[in-house]
Amino acid sequence: NLYDHVISEASRTHDVPFSLLKALIKTESDFNPWAVSSAGARGLMQLMPENIKTLNIKNPFDPRENIMGGTRFLKQLIDRFNGKLPLALAAYNAGPGVVEKYQRIPPFKETENFVKEVMRYYSVFDKS
């Protein structure tokens, strides 16, 4: 993959599994650095404008900046949810406040499917 070297660097820097990052990027943007969602999420890891600002990302369409920033954000969520990956992924998708409110994966089809899909790709990439 074109971005494996950046994903490796982000994985080492933020101590997040390489195959998890790859699974998240596959699910979020299918490795398209120019992706923009209807909600305004941008780049490979589909970062929302408010996160782009908080993470001090200058150009969300720069693959390295997007992956490094997105990984830092994911690591914060993994820590916030005590290493519970499905909750961290749900928070990545729906926002941490929503996950804290429900104390579980929120009952939104999109979020439930997102978590399932990332976990599915994670196990696939983990074997390769």
Side-chain angles (χ1 to χ4, degrees):
N1 179 297
L2 193 58
Y3 304 108
D4 279 1
H5 66 291
V6 183
I7 299 169
S8 298
E9 183 188 349
S11 167
R12 284 190 311 274
T13 304
H14 298 291
D15 193 29
V16 175
F18 173 84
S19 40
L20 176 63
L21 292 175
K22 204 163 172 166
L24 182 67
I25 295 169
K26 169 74 180 158
T27 304
E28 283 288 10
S29 67
D30 201 19
F31 302 104
N32 173 4
W34 304 108
V36 178
S37 78
S38 55
R42 289 168 165 65
L44 288 164
M45 294 187 78
Q46 288 294 278
L47 303 173
M48 290 300 282
E50 58 273 20
N51 292 330
I52 291 168
K53 223 167 93 187
T54 313
L55 295 162
N56 286 318
I57 292 170
K58 305 279 176 275
N59 177 7
F61 299 110
D62 174 84
R64 186 174 184 283
E65 211 180 344
N66 188 290
I67 292 171
M68 293 305 279
T71 302
R72 192 164 82 235
F73 179 56
L74 179 62
K75 178 63 173 175
Q76 291 166 359
L77 295 173
I78 292 170
D79 292 345
R80 184 164 172 176
F81 292 98
N82 304 312
K84 292 187 182 85
L85 221 42
L87 293 183
L89 292 169
Y92 192 95
N93 177 266
V98 178
V99 176
E100 279 163 354
K101 186 179 114 186
Y102 285 98
Q103 289 295 299
R104 63 183 175 89
I105 296 172
F108 311 138
K109 257 285 142 269
E110 185 203 322
T111 302
E112 290 167 350
N113 290 340
F114 174 81
V115 173
K116 267 193 211 111
E117 194 159 319
V118 175
M119 294 306 285
R120 187 172 61 85
Y121 281 124
Y122 183 24
S123 81
V124 170
F125 293 145
D126 215 32
K127 290 179 181 79
S128 55

